[in-house]
Structures are given as structure tokens and as C-alpha cells.
Amino acid sequence: MKILINCSNLKVGGGLQVAHSFLYEIVSNTEHQFIVVLSDFLKYQINETDFPQNFIFIHYSIKPSAWKAIFGEDKFLDAIEFKYNPDVVFSVFGPTYWQPKAKHICGFAKPDYIYKDSPYFDQLTFFQKMKLNAMEFFHMFDFRNNNEGLITENPDVTKILAKKVTQPVYTVTNYYNQIFENELKWDRSLKLELPKETIKLLTISANYPHKNLAIIKKVIPILKQNFPDFSFHFFLTIDRTEFGITEEDELNNSITFLGKVAIKQCPYLYQQVDFLFLPTLLECFSASYCEAMYMGKPILTSNLPFAKGICGDAATYFNPVNPIDIANKIVDLASNPKLQSQLVNLGKEQLKTFDSSQIRAKKYLKILTESE
């Protein structure tokens, strides 16, 4: 069977991680021929020499537009499909801005179109809401009309999405990348050299508005004022310019901006910190939760339904829009080693409820080869 794997629209975040993991899980699959379209952002993380001859790699980044979302036409991707004539197309995540002639299965990870009661929407201006509504219209048109099947990472999302579309919706959960299990492949170039007594909080995330990273600007002053003897430091995988502060800002004393990190750099980052800190307001599924659970790191995250549905009892929850509550929860967890140990143990058990990277790949292939 010829399978075209379309990653032309992947730029940052979890989409890249999932695509990377899936490709390396099927590297030994000789049953099918794979034509893989890698975006400019993914191609640097894939070593094509690792793959056998039944894999063909093509580099292309699609340029999104309302026209493409409505009409599903892209000359470059159309030419690829015409040349290789695949039996099925798998776009790891959409919207894809493209409708192939072959059966098209697409991943869905747009939580802002699912969880309408999130506090994220309270922070938006009228014009931002108008823009989001317009994007939702075009994106959902794309999902409804350019695909024969959709895959979500969360059964709750599947249940809600199934009411919004007519095609089948499948659930395949996210997981940590398999590179976490192979220490020989870890990149240890990023060393976080701070005193042991300093509580190190890691957030591996792009600076999307719904990730709520700006709340850290309010949390830091409260920690310093209310807990002057508490030593802490945040590590963010964004640039300072994205965070909107200057080099002279006092916040720099409590934050290290790591910039974009490669997947192979993530395990060692977790190994060096104390907690995962994720104040996100919207998610379908975040691999960061699985990564922290595997690496034995307590989780501090938002007290919202999607987070509780993923983490269960294996996290300390805070109000993500209340910096005082966030600061208190950080200090409470830092001063309670017993709770930290409990969260780590519960995380190991919670991890067993998700599809492993191997199972995820098998489920993807089963959907692609068996769905009508």
C-alpha cells in the first residue's frame, strides 16, 4: 500500500513531536511504501539516512490561505499525489489547506474550537475574538470538507468533535517521544547550572497565547514579595523577544530563555529541573505531561477539565489566571517532598493509561489501511 504522510503544515510544538515519533516508529515497516512530505521545520529533525528504500522524502512547507482551506488546492501537493498515486493520505495534524483525491485521514488538535468555556476567551479583545471566529470558520470548513476521517488525542475531544462533523472520528492518544527511552541519543548541550536549592521550573512550549506563559510575569513578583527566602527559576523554550521584556528587565533574573529546542534536547532538560510548569488554558493533549511522568518530575498545571482528564491525581493544580494561587502552589509543592514523591508515583501509573508511541503508530496504520 502506498501511504503519503503529509507534514507540510507543521511548524512548532506538539505536531512536530508526534510526526517525529510516528516516523521513527514505522522506520522498520517494509509492508508499505511511504511518501513523506517534510516541512522546513521538521526536515532538520529527521535524519533521512535512518530510513530504508521504501521511504521517499520530499521537502515542502505549504502556505496557508483561506482560498486553500475552502477549495483544497495546492499545486505542489497535487503534483506529488499525481506522481506517486497513493492509496491514502495521512496529514498528521490539520487544517491541511489541501484536499487530495485519495482517502484523506487527518489529525485534529484545535482545543479552542472544542472548549468554549476556557478562561482563555475572557482575555481576548473583541477584534481578537472576531479573528478567531474567522479562523475557526475556515479551519472547520477544511476539517469537514477536505478529509474522510479525523483523529484526536483525547476521547473527550472525540466526543465533542463528533457532534460538529459528519465523518468518522477516532481517538489515538499522545505520548512521549521514544527518544526519552534511549539516553545515548540525548543531546546534553543545554546545561542548567544553578544551585541545587533553587527550584527549577520547566515549560517546554511555543509562545501561543493559549499557553498562558505571560502569567509568569505576574507570578515572579508575588513569589519574591511573599516568599523572599524561596529560591526559584523558570526555564522557557522561547526567546526573550517573544516574552516582551528587555534585557534590563528584572524578570530576567528569574527566567532563562532557552529558545527553540530540539526533541533530542528535551530529556536532559527534564533531568535537570524539579517540576514541569504548564499554565496552559487550552489543550487537546500535551505530550509534556507524559514526558514529565516518564522522567519522574512532579507536574504543576491548570485546574481545567482537559488537564485533569489527562493527569488525574498525578498533578498539583492551580487557577491559571490567579498568580497568587500559582505562587502558593509552587511553594507548597516545593516544601512537601512527600507530595512530590506521591505525584511521581501516580504519574508512572497514569502513564500506563495512554497509547505508547508503538501502539500509537500501530493504531495510525490500522486506521489508514482499514477505514472506509
Side-chain angles (χ1 to χ4, degrees):
M1 191 173 196
K2 290 184 181 179
I3 300 175
L4 194 159
I5 302 174
N6 173 35
C7 306
S8 65
N9 61 336
L10 301 182
K11 295 182 179 181
V12 295
L16 293 178
Q17 185 273 136
V18 171
H20 181 283
S21 175
F22 175 55
L23 289 174
Y24 275 95
E25 279 299 334
I26 61 173
V27 67
S28 59
N29 185 300
T30 58
E31 182 180 357
H32 308 290
Q33 180 180 2
F34 299 98
I35 303 96
V36 185
V37 183
L38 299 177
S39 70
D40 292 337
F41 302 88
L42 183 59
K43 67 182 182 182
Y44 297 109
Q45 302 199 41
I46 301 295
N47 185 353
E48 296 175 20
T49 61
D50 292 339
F51 293 79
Q53 292 184 346
N54 61 315
F55 282 79
I56 298 172
F57 288 94
I58 300 163
H59 300 164
Y60 176 64
S61 287
I62 194 170
K63 295 181 179 179
S65 71
W67 173 274
K68 290 182 179 180
I70 296 296
F71 295 99
E73 297 177 357
D74 184 88
K75 291 182 179 179
F76 191 91
L77 294 177
D78 287 340
I80 292 174
E81 183 181 20
F82 180 79
K83 179 178 180 179
Y84 293 101
N85 191 29
D87 299 291
V88 62
V89 175
F90 176 42
S91 293
V92 180
F93 287 107
T96 60
Y97 310 96
W98 179 50
Q99 183 181 26
K101 292 180 174 59
K103 179 179 69 177
H104 191 194
I105 305 297
C106 177
F108 179 95
K110 303 294 290 184
D112 40 343
Y113 306 159
I114 297 295
Y115 296 110
K116 295 296 187 179
D117 57 349
S118 168
Y120 166 68
F121 298 102
D122 298 333
Q123 301 179 7
L124 301 181
T125 66
F126 173 78
F127 292 104
Q128 287 174 325
K129 290 179 180 178
M130 292 292 291
K131 181 180 179 180
L132 183 61
N133 288 338
M135 290 178 62
E136 180 176 356
F137 171 82
F138 288 112
H139 288 173
M140 289 305 298
F141 187 95
D142 184 301
F143 282 117
R144 291 189 183 103
N145 294 278
N146 294 341
N147 311 279
E148 281 70 54
L150 298 170
I151 302 175
T152 83
E153 301 171 301
N154 186 321
D156 188 48
V157 175
T158 294
K159 182 179 179 181
I160 298 172
L161 181 62
K163 298 178 181 179
K164 297 177 177 286
V165 300
T166 57
Q167 62 265 66
V169 183
Y170 310 92
T171 304
V172 182
T173 70
N174 204 338
Y175 205 60
Y176 60 81
N177 189 284
Q178 57 268 47
I179 201 171
F180 277 77
E181 299 176 355
N182 189 346
E183 292 193 33
L184 295 177
K185 293 186 177 181
W186 293 5
D187 181 338
R188 291 176 166 81
S189 59
L190 292 175
K191 299 186 184 299
L192 314 181
E193 298 178 354
L194 285 174
K196 185 177 180 180
E197 61 270 16
T198 298
I199 296 298
K200 305 169 191 67
L201 302 107
L202 175 66
T203 306
I204 297 181
S205 171
N207 193 31
Y208 293 123
H210 70 268
K211 293 294 186 178
N212 194 33
L213 300 185
I215 196 68
I216 295 172
K217 298 177 184 179
K218 298 179 181 179
V219 172
I220 290 175
I222 293 172
L223 283 171
K224 289 187 172 182
Q225 179 178 342
N226 294 355
F227 307 97
D229 297 327
F230 180 63
S231 180
F232 66 93
H233 200 87
F234 289 89
F235 294 90
L236 308 181
T237 57
I238 63 173
D239 296 322
R240 182 185 293 106
T241 54
E242 297 178 76
F243 203 59
I245 62 174
T246 65
E247 293 183 10
E248 294 75 28
D249 198 302
E250 288 187 7
L251 291 173
N252 287 293
N253 298 325
S254 302
I255 306 174
T256 294
F257 297 95
L258 300 170
K260 291 181 181 179
V261 298
I263 293 168
K264 61 183 179 180
Q265 293 175 303
C266 293
Y268 187 54
L269 288 177
Y270 279 104
Q271 193 175 69
Q272 299 176 84
V273 301
D274 298 289
F275 306 144
L276 168 68
F277 178 74
L278 204 60
T280 179
L281 301 177
L282 278 171
E283 297 289 342
C284 284
F285 195 111
S286 174
S288 291
Y289 294 132
C290 297
E291 293 165 356
M293 291 174 186
Y294 179 78
M295 294 301 295
K297 301 300 175 179
I299 297 169
L300 281 155
T301 193
S302 310
N303 62 354
L304 296 174
F306 64 81
K308 292 184 175 181
I310 298 170
C311 298
D313 295 327
T316 287
Y317 298 100
F318 52 70
N319 182 339
V321 296
N322 185 333
I324 296 177
D325 185 50
I326 295 174
N328 289 339
K329 293 296 173 55
I330 290 173
V331 175
D332 288 347
L333 182 58
S335 60
N336 193 336
K338 183 178 179 180
L339 177 58
Q340 295 174 34
S341 180
Q342 288 176 347
L343 293 179
V344 169
N345 291 334
L346 289 168
K348 299 292 185 183
E349 293 302 311
Q350 188 71 4
L351 200 56
K352 298 176 183 178
T353 67
F354 308 129
D355 295 324
S356 68
S357 55
Q358 295 91 346
I359 293 174
R360 174 173 59 190
K362 289 179 181 179
K363 284 188 174 183
Y364 278 165
L365 289 177
K366 183 175 181 180
I367 293 169
L368 296 175
T369 57
E370 296 183 5
S371 58
E372 297 295 331

